[in-house]
Amino acid sequence: MKLQPDRFDVPAITGYGPGWVGVSGERVEASVVIGSRGQRLDWHCDDFGALTASHFAQLATLDAELVIFGSGQRLRFVPAAWLQPLMARRIGLETMD
């Protein structure tokens, strides 16, 4: 049984490594938001330590069902209070390293 599409009509994560993520075959070395409907937005944050509550409030405005948050080379979690805008809109969050 094949569980992946033959082609993508929207951007897809096609690879990753330390300091980069592949988006539809393009290597991106900056923080980026990829939406399921094809949106691609710069997420102006170069380091986990520079994150603020406003970064997650921005994500809550995207009308997503789920946010997959890449925390960097090791698994790290943001303060729960920062996730209130997501929870208020019933948007799930999965953190990955």
Side-chain angles (χ1 to χ4, degrees):
M1 175 182 348
K2 189 173 185 178
L3 297 175
Q4 65 185 40
D6 291 327
R7 65 182 185 86
F8 296 101
D9 294 329
V10 295
I13 304 301
T14 54
Y16 64 92
W20 67 275
V21 63
V23 180
S24 298
E26 176 188 349
R27 186 177 170 128
V28 178
E29 296 183 3
S31 295
V32 64
V33 174
I34 306 295
S36 63
R37 295 178 190 92
Q39 315 94 305
R40 181 171 162 184
L41 310 166
D42 291 332
W43 204 38
H44 302 285
C45 185
D46 295 330
D47 182 74
F48 184 88
L51 285 169
T52 66
S54 65
H55 287 100
F56 292 87
Q58 176 191 14
L59 294 175
T61 67
L62 299 178
D63 195 32
E65 291 182 28
L66 173 68
V67 171
I68 300 174
F69 169 66
S71 65
Q73 290 184 327
R74 62 186 172 92
L75 191 58
R76 296 179 280 186
F77 299 95
V78 299
W82 293 5
L83 305 178
Q84 286 300 323
L86 296 171
M87 290 187 286
R89 294 190 173 173
R90 301 181 58 89
I91 298 172
L93 179 93
E94 177 70 31
T95 301
M96 302 178 74
D97 56 358

